[in-house]
Amino acid sequence: MNSIFIEEASKVATDPQVLINMVSKRVRQLSAGSRPMVSVEGRMGLADIALAEIAQGRLVVSKPENGEEPQE
């Protein structure tokens, strides 16, 4: 993983556990065949793509309401 992507994504998703969960879920989606929502440059791994999507605001977390599970 590229540390620059991590730093940029950390500015968007400030809670580390939420960031980990977002990246994990998105990596699973990408490995299952989902198309990246950002342009892939060079040798970006799936985690780098997920972090870039978060950093660019393509993936967002909605805050839970009334104790519901958060939606990504």
Side-chain angles (χ1 to χ4, degrees), residues 4 7-8 10 12 16 18 20 28 30-31 39 41 45-46 56 61 68-69:
I4 295 171
E7 290 176 22
E8 292 299 316
S10 295
V12 176
V18 171
I20 290 167
R28 283 192 306 270
L30 290 167
S31 66
S39 61
E41 303 168 0
L46 296 178
Q56 292 181 19
V61 176
E68 296 175 0
E69 290 291 318

Side-chain angles (χ1 to χ4, degrees), residues 38-59:
V38 296
S39 61
V40 178
E41 303 168 0
R43 297 176 46 156
M44 291 175 70
L46 296 178
D48 290 334
I49 295 169
L51 288 166
E53 291 175 343
I54 294 166
Q56 292 181 19
R58 305 288 175 129
L59 292 178

